[in-house]
Amino acid sequence: MKIKNSELILNNDGSIYHLNLKPEHISTDIIFVGDQYRVEKVTKHFDSIEFTTQKREFKTTTGVYKGKRISVISTGIGPDNIDIVLNELDALVNIDFETREIKKNHTQLNITRIGTSGSLQDDIPVDSFLLSSHSIDLNGMLQAYDLKDIAHPDIEEAFVKQTDWSERKAYPVVIANSEELANKLSSEKTHQGITATAGGFYGPQGRVLRLQLQDPNQNSKIDNFSYQNHRITNLEMETSAIYGLSKLLGHHACSMNAILANRANGTFSENPSVVVEKLILYTLDKLVE
Ligand code: R1P
């Protein structure tokens, strides 16, 4: 069935609406970063650069690292942006832009996020690496989709009960990473745990400046959540959306976090750019191993 012009929006040059990309511009191995200026911090390590473009906060550079073709894309901040990036990347590989029909043969993407995050646990200090085994979506973006095949109702119910999660907030949904990609990226250097993905930086992550919170104890309840061998290790703003949409669309995804802040003991990295640079090199080398 032909997808209408209003649903699959292409620019006059044939590129996809927000990302400004054509199918030939991207590799199936993709790295997401939040900050557009972090794209170059990854691609400066490449042997060669083939292509680069930017529209709004979405900057893409494709090149080769130690023989592997990789695209690095900045997603900006938040799950709403991930909805755009994931759907448009999937369209680039799985929809024929000429006929506007879904291709018969599915192409799978490998998506690795290199992000920054705040730890919620004392034993996961600033400047460490954390690989998200799962993510718990606290922001509601994913609720627009049919999630029944990818959710983990037992963990979600335990979370709602233990945190007395307000019915007025989006229902939390837990999604796992791609085991295949996680096996490639994990080592004795990576902590693992559930990453909570909030839809904002301040109130939604329990920060108080001038506004009171719906539940002032939300963060300590999240820190103390425990179900079987699961606990919530860190808070950021993209991972659940990446895991959820990747699972639904048939792609592999794994999120790597440089821990900049420790919310449990109130510390912040003295040199955030050093841990980010180390995580970039660690991840690139693991991807080509
Ligand atoms: C907030 O400052 C931003 O930093 C974190 C959060 O997820 C959010 O996007 O990640 P990035 O550094 O990858 O953007």
Side-chain angles (χ1 to χ4, degrees):
M1 212 179 54
K2 219 173 144 124
I3 302 172
K4 295 192 181 91
N5 290 4
S6 56
E7 315 303 295
L8 172 68
I9 306 169
L10 301 180
N11 300 313
N12 287 340
D13 66 356
S15 62
I16 192 126
Y17 190 42
H18 298 93
L19 299 187
N20 233 19
L21 296 169
K22 296 183 190 176
E24 63 269 25
H25 292 149
I26 56 160
S27 168
T28 50
D29 289 293
I30 295 177
I31 291 174
F32 283 178
V33 295
D35 182 355
Q36 57 200 273
Y37 296 105
R38 201 179 300 147
V39 172
E40 209 261 325
K41 290 183 181 149
V42 179
T43 58
K44 73 177 185 206
H45 299 291
F46 282 17
D47 317 324
S48 60
I49 302 289
E50 164 192 325
F51 168 84
T52 190
T53 191
Q54 177 161 9
K55 188 173 176 185
R56 300 182 184 236
E57 59 267 63
F58 308 115
K59 177 173 178 178
T60 302
T61 300
T62 297
V64 173
Y65 180 74
K66 295 189 179 170
K68 194 182 187 91
R69 186 172 183 249
I70 299 175
S71 294
V72 185
I73 303 179
S74 59
T75 65
I77 290 181
D80 48 348
N81 275 10
I82 298 299
D83 182 56
I84 290 173
V85 175
L86 237 313
N87 276 294
E88 293 195 3
L89 283 178
D90 179 75
L92 284 162
V93 293
N94 287 315
I95 298 174
D96 183 326
F97 284 5
E98 296 294 323
T99 62
R100 295 182 159 270
E101 286 179 355
I102 295 169
K103 290 181 184 170
K104 286 205 175 71
N105 297 322
H106 178 263
T107 297
Q108 193 161 54
L109 301 171
N110 299 309
I111 298 167
T112 303
R113 166 172 153 82
I114 303 179
T116 65
S117 185
S119 164
L120 296 173
Q121 306 293 343
D122 233 342
D123 61 316
I124 302 179
V126 293
D127 298 337
S128 56
F129 299 167
L130 186 136
L131 184 158
S132 311
S133 66
H134 298 75
S135 186
I136 183 162
D137 185 273
L138 302 179
N139 60 80
M141 188 281 282
L142 287 175
Q143 295 294 350
Y145 298 94
D146 177 356
L147 301 171
K148 65 179 178 302
D149 294 336
I150 64 162
H152 290 75
D154 54 338
I155 314 178
E156 292 154 14
E157 280 161 29
F159 179 84
V160 167
K161 209 165 155 202
Q162 286 181 37
T163 60
D164 192 22
W165 195 249
S166 165
E167 278 180 19
R168 287 173 175 246
K169 290 182 178 169
Y171 191 81
V173 48
V174 173
I175 310 112
N177 63 18
S178 149
E179 231 178 278
E180 199 177 310
L181 204 47
N183 286 341
K184 226 175 165 32
L185 292 164
S186 62
S187 76
E188 73 294 341
K189 290 195 174 137
T190 48
H191 295 271
Q192 295 210 25
I194 303 182
T195 295
T197 299
F201 186 76
Y202 291 97
Q205 294 187 37
R207 289 189 171 92
V208 177
L209 301 183
R210 292 211 313 121
L211 296 178
Q212 295 312 303
L213 301 175
Q214 176 269 328
D215 179 359
N217 299 318
Q218 176 185 291
N219 273 24
S220 64
K221 290 177 186 168
I222 293 177
D223 303 351
N224 292 323
F225 170 73
S226 126
Y227 176 73
Q228 294 172 349
N229 57 348
H230 296 293
R231 65 175 180 161
I232 297 175
T233 45
N234 61 310
L235 256 173
E236 48 78 90
M237 297 178 64
E238 291 82 19
T239 297
S240 67
I242 296 170
Y243 281 10
L245 291 177
S246 295
K247 278 258 186 298
L248 291 171
L249 291 163
H251 304 303
H252 291 295
C254 191
S255 178
M256 305 292 286
N257 305 268
I259 298 298
L260 298 190
N262 186 302
R263 306 284 301 282
N265 57 33
T267 52
F268 193 83
S269 171
E270 283 179 14
N271 206 338
S273 55
V274 172
V275 58
V276 171
E277 171 72 6
K278 281 186 185 159
L279 183 62
I280 288 169
L281 278 170
Y282 171 89
T283 305
L284 281 172
D285 284 331
K286 284 286 182 194
L287 287 175
V288 299
E289 248 174 31

